[in-house]
Amino acid sequence: MPTPASGQINLESSWLALLQDEFQQGYMIELREFLVGEKRRRKTIYPKGSEYFNALDSTPFDQVKVVILGQDPYHGPGQAHGLCFSVQAGLDLPPSLQNIYKEIADDLKADQSAGSFLSGCLAGWAEQGVLLLNSVLTVERGRAASHQGKGWEQFTDKIVELLSTQREYLVFLLWGSYAQRKGSVIDARKHLVLSSPHPSPLSAHRGFFGNRHFSKCNDYLTSNGKEPIDWLQPG
C-alpha cells in the first residue's frame, strides 16, 4: 500500500484526484500500519500490493458505467487480483462466479459452454466500464474476512459516495445483504439500483437466478445513450 505521508500514491489519475485526501486520513494511516505489521509477521496477504487498487486502476472514474459490489478478496493462493468475483486466468471458477455465468447465459440466451465462460478473469468487464469493487481490498491467506473492520470499508464507502453524487445514470448491482447495506447511500433517482440475493450456492436459488440483471443493466445503459456491456466477454 502506498505511504500516505510520502504523497507517492500509485493510483489511476482520475481516482487519485478524487481520493488523494483520503490517504491522509487517520483511518488510512492506521490501515497502512496494520498491513505493514502483518507483513512483518510474515503473514501472506492477498492480492499482492500492486493489485490492491486494481479495480480503480482498471476502470477510471469517468469511464464507470456499472458497479458490482463484492465483500472481500478470495483467500486462496493465487486467486485474488483486485477485481471482485474475479480470479486469475487459468484457475478453477469459484462457485459464485459459476452461478453468475449461469445467470448471464440464461438471461442473454447464450451458450454457457462457450469459451468465454471458461476463464474466471473478469478484466474484460472492467475495461468496458464495470467497476468490480470489493468492500475490503485485502485478506490474509486462508482466513476469510480477516481484514474486515480495519478501515477499507470507510475508503470504499467514499468511492460509492463519489460515484453516486458526481455521476449520473450508472447501474449498481447489489447482490446479497452486505452489498445492499453498503449501497444504501446510492441516489436511486439518478441511478439504476438492482438488488437480489447473492450468487453464492447458499442463496442463488432464492432469487439470484432469474434476476435478469444483465439484460436490465444493458437496457438502462442503452436508453441513456451508453454502450451496453458485452457480458459474454469477461476476460
Side-chain angles (χ1 to χ4, degrees), residues 13 15-16 21-22 24-25 31 41-42 45 71 83 85 96 102 114-115 120 126 130 151 154 169 171 199-200 209:
S13 60
W15 284 110
L16 181 59
D21 290 347
E22 289 300 299
Q24 314 300 328
Q25 301 300 316
L31 172 58
R41 286 189 282 275
R42 300 183 181 277
I45 296 174
Q71 193 159 348
L83 305 178
F85 292 104
S96 290
K102 182 179 187 303
V130 181
Q154 188 171 341
Y169 308 121
V171 181
S200 161
F209 290 139

Side-chain angles (χ1 to χ4, degrees), residues 65 104 108 124-125 128 130 218 227-235:
K65 294 190 286 187
I104 290 172
L108 304 182
W125 290 356
Q128 295 180 67
V130 181
N218 280 351
E227 286 291 320
I229 304 299
D230 185 354
W231 296 108
L232 304 181
Q233 296 296 328

Side-chain angles (χ1 to χ4, degrees), residues 187 200 226:
D187 186 347
S200 161
K226 299 183 180 184

Side-chain angles (χ1 to χ4, degrees), residues 22-33:
E22 289 300 299
F23 289 97
Q24 314 300 328
Q25 301 300 316
Y27 80 91
M28 284 296 279
I29 294 172
E30 291 176 6
L31 172 58
R32 179 185 178 276
E33 291 172 349

Side-chain angles (χ1 to χ4, degrees), residues 3-55:
T3 304
S6 70
Q8 297 177 353
I9 300 169
N10 185 19
L11 184 62
E12 189 278 327
S13 60
S14 65
W15 284 110
L16 181 59
L18 292 163
L19 295 168
Q20 177 91 47
D21 290 347
E22 289 300 299
F23 289 97
Q24 314 300 328
Q25 301 300 316
Y27 80 91
M28 284 296 279
I29 294 172
E30 291 176 6
L31 172 58
R32 179 185 178 276
E33 291 172 349
F34 165 74
L35 292 170
V36 169
E38 292 294 276
K39 290 181 178 180
R40 284 177 180 158
R41 286 189 282 275
R42 300 183 181 277
K43 300 286 185 66
T44 299
I45 296 174
Y46 297 134
K48 60 185 178 182
S50 62
E51 295 178 333
Y52 287 0
F53 304 113
N54 194 20

